[in-house]
Amino acid sequence: MEPLTERAATTRRRILEAAAAELIETGDVEVAAAARRAGLSTGLPYRYFGTRSGLMSALLADFYERLVTETVLAHFDGATWLERWRAQLTQWVDWVYDEPLAPVVLGRMVGDAQVAAMEARCARRVIALGAEHVAAGQAEGAVTPGRDPGLMSAAVVGGIRSILSVVLDQDPRPDRAAVLQEIWEFSTAALGAVRVEAS
């Protein structure tokens, strides 16, 4: 696949942003509605995404790419693994609470087999990156040794996602500090970590 020109990349981004706004507002994505919202011809999104499923899959991929960049791959300060994990969880909760698309993607988004396959690929990436983080915690002595980092990551990532999908759908939402504390308690227990309260 040839790289997009700057103009094409800008158009593609406009379509994705319009589709995200449509999904947030209506809970669904119709290609024609996204095109109208972006101020583009109805057929243009098909040139970039092929089908409605292709557009929804691209929307998912974009969401997870931003999530991973901001909450998994970012640098987190801390003298110990646990301090860095607490900082990472704080960023994760803050990002999800502030991201308008998160309640839909993490809790209410539905799609066909193509969309489900993209969701699974994105989840596997987050779990694989989490496994590296768990292994680093084991190497530092902060996480129970001898357990499979991939399975531990899958359990923690799945648990965090479930917690967030529940709280994001509540009105009013629980205080994010309380949610962070619940996730901290759950994740450190699941990892067998020596829990310390962050200052």
Side-chain angles (χ1 to χ4, degrees), residues 24 63 95-97 99-108 168 173:
I24 292 163
F63 172 87
W95 190 90
V96 169
Y97 257 60
E99 168 57 48
L101 200 53
V104 184
V105 172
L106 298 180
R108 301 191 298 270
L168 290 176
R173 289 180 184 173

Side-chain angles (χ1 to χ4, degrees), residues 49-69:
F49 304 104
T51 63
R52 175 180 176 276
S53 294
L55 176 57
M56 292 184 70
S57 295
L59 198 58
L60 264 179
D62 181 71
F63 172 87
Y64 276 101
E65 182 60 34
R66 292 184 293 112
L67 172 67
V68 166
T69 299

Side-chain angles (χ1 to χ4, degrees), residues 4 7-19 48-49 59 62 66:
L4 296 175
R7 180 179 177 185
T10 299
T11 300
R12 186 180 189 277
R13 170 55 52 190
R14 279 177 62 190
I15 297 168
L16 280 176
E17 289 174 353
Y48 289 92
F49 304 104
L59 198 58
D62 181 71
R66 292 184 293 112

Side-chain angles (χ1 to χ4, degrees), residues 37 49 51 137 175 184:
R37 192 182 285 263
F49 304 104
T51 63
D175 177 71
W184 169 252

Side-chain angles (χ1 to χ4, degrees), residues 21-30 37:
E22 187 72 16
L23 186 59
I24 292 163
E25 187 175 307
T26 70
D28 196 7
V29 176
E30 292 300 332
R37 192 182 285 263

Side-chain angles (χ1 to χ4, degrees), residues 77-137:
D77 292 327
T80 67
W81 184 91
L82 278 169
E83 288 175 358
R84 295 188 296 276
W85 177 234
R86 179 76 181 213
Q88 184 175 357
L89 288 178
T90 301
Q91 175 69 5
W92 201 338
V93 171
D94 283 342
W95 190 90
V96 169
Y97 257 60
D98 294 335
E99 168 57 48
L101 200 53
V104 184
V105 172
L106 298 180
R108 301 191 298 270
M109 190 169 181
V110 295
D112 61 12
Q114 181 180 348
V115 176
M118 176 58 74
E119 172 76 26
R121 282 196 297 275
C122 293
R124 282 195 300 271
R125 182 183 179 207
V126 174
I127 290 168
L129 290 168
E132 294 176 10
H133 188 62
V134 171

